[in-house]
Amino acid sequence: MSAKIASVPMVLTALVIFVGCTVWTVIYSFTGSKLLPRLNWEGLGQYERLWSTRRWLVSLENLAIYGICSMVLILVIGFTLAALLDRKIRFEGAFRTIFLYPFALSFIVTGLAWQWILNPDFGIQASIRAMGWESFVFDPLNSPDFVIFGILIAGIWQGSGLIMVIMLAGLRGIDEDIWKAARVDGIGTVKTYLKVIIPMMRPVFVTALVLIAAGIIKVYDLVVAQTAGGPGISSQMPALYVMDAMFKNQNLAQGFAASTMMLVSVLIVLIPWAYLEFAGKKRG
């Protein structure tokens, strides 16, 4: 009973702050609220304007590119680093700290740091040109076609360390007898990882995917620090659209509609996964 009583504040917080505010946002997305929330119903008007706005469509395209590339590359890089550290190399603690350190930085600091690194006047491009390669061009943040990949570089640099630690913890949980049996059977290291180790680490990969996906959906400050959505609208993201609509354009209902669509996109991915994950276990 004491444990249940102690959990009451947490339950109330979840119901009021998370569930309550989510329902409130969805309800007011069907209104014409501007600077202040008002219950003047407009039906689906905000959603029609949202999906007819080029900036919103560009932000969804950027989110898809950033999300797919980020999820694949962070998983691959994180697992590769973890597999290398799991080989009991020297100075493992130092390497682990170096790889994890970027995660300790805020996205604003990361974005500003990579904005300087990718700056053509004194970043990578200027350094390589100073070595004599005058024709070298590497300026993704000022190119509408490649700006999203400049943001992707910064996101991968910050997120790979955390996934590496999670994967390393999963690898350290694998019984050493499995490796011994694989060596006795003459199975190569790469094949052992692909056929035996990775399938055994399925819960670890699920956890990593959830963390990566959460960071992808809410990416905002990284874009603000690097490009502020430019050049033009080429690096817009849904979270940036929501914040600008609510606070810059003083159109609360449009921001609520955009945030509701972000919630729907998360539910479309989360509900089938949760059903397959938990319903399968229940049937088993």
Side-chain angles (χ1 to χ4, degrees):
M1 181 60 67
S2 59
K4 294 179 180 179
I5 294 174
S7 66
V8 169
M10 181 187 67
V11 174
L12 292 178
T13 300
L15 291 176
V16 175
I17 301 299
F18 296 107
V19 179
C21 291
T22 299
V23 173
W24 187 86
T25 299
V26 173
I27 290 174
Y28 276 88
S29 69
F30 295 99
T31 68
S33 302
K34 295 295 184 182
L35 179 61
L36 297 174
R38 294 181 179 179
L39 283 174
N40 51 336
W41 298 103
E42 282 196 4
L44 297 174
Q46 296 293 344
Y47 293 92
E48 293 175 358
R49 284 190 286 273
L50 177 69
W51 286 100
S52 62
T53 303
R54 173 166 170 74
R55 184 181 172 189
W56 172 252
L57 298 178
V58 170
S59 69
L60 292 180
E61 181 181 347
N62 288 336
L63 184 65
I65 296 172
Y66 178 88
I68 294 173
C69 295
S70 179
M71 192 166 292
V72 172
L73 292 175
I74 289 179
L75 272 179
V76 171
I77 294 173
F79 182 80
T80 302
L81 293 175
L84 293 175
L85 291 178
D86 191 48
R87 309 308 295 176
K88 307 295 190 300
I89 63 173
R90 296 180 62 185
F91 309 112
E92 176 191 330
F95 284 116
R96 190 167 58 237
T97 302
I98 292 171
F99 294 142
L100 185 60
Y101 177 76
F103 185 73
L105 303 177
S106 69
F107 271 118
I108 292 293
V109 174
T110 300
L112 289 175
W114 277 97
Q115 184 191 55
W116 298 333
I117 294 172
L118 299 176
N119 190 299
D121 296 327
F122 47 82
I124 295 175
Q125 177 177 299
S127 300
I128 294 182
R129 286 187 176 183
M131 298 177 186
W133 194 357
E134 295 292 338
S135 62
F136 179 78
V137 177
F138 187 68
D139 187 17
L141 296 184
N142 292 322
S143 171
D145 296 328
F146 298 101
V147 63
I148 193 65
F149 297 104
I151 297 172
L152 178 65
I153 293 172
I156 292 173
W157 180 76
Q158 188 183 49
S160 297
L162 175 64
I163 303 305
M164 176 205 70
V165 172
I166 294 173
M167 294 295 177
L168 183 59
L171 288 171
R172 293 288 165 83
I174 301 295
D175 195 338
E176 188 65 27
D177 292 338
I178 294 176
W179 284 105
K180 293 179 181 178
R183 286 192 289 268
V184 169
D185 293 337
I187 303 175
T189 302
V190 175
K191 192 173 182 179
T192 302
Y193 275 116
L194 294 177
K195 299 293 186 180
V196 180
I197 303 301
I198 291 179
M200 292 180 64
M201 292 177 59
R202 182 172 175 270
V204 178
F205 276 90
V206 170
T207 301
L209 285 173
V210 170
L211 291 176
I212 296 172
I216 291 170
I217 292 296
K218 64 182 183 181
V219 62
Y220 167 75
D221 33 13
L222 189 63
V223 178
V224 172
Q226 285 190 273
T227 64
I233 60 171
S234 56
S235 62
Q236 289 291 321
M237 286 290 185
L240 182 59
Y241 182 94
V242 171
M243 297 298 289
D244 284 351
M246 294 176 64
F247 300 107
K248 187 176 180 180
N249 302 330
Q250 297 181 355
N251 191 341
L252 288 180
Q254 182 68 189
F256 291 159
S259 59
T260 300
M261 294 311 303
M262 292 174 63
L263 175 63
V264 170
S265 66
V266 172
L267 294 178
I268 290 174
V269 175
L270 195 60
I271 290 177
W273 168 80
Y275 176 78
L276 293 174
E277 184 74 12
F278 296 106
K281 290 181 177 179
K282 187 175 181 180
R283 287 194 298 268

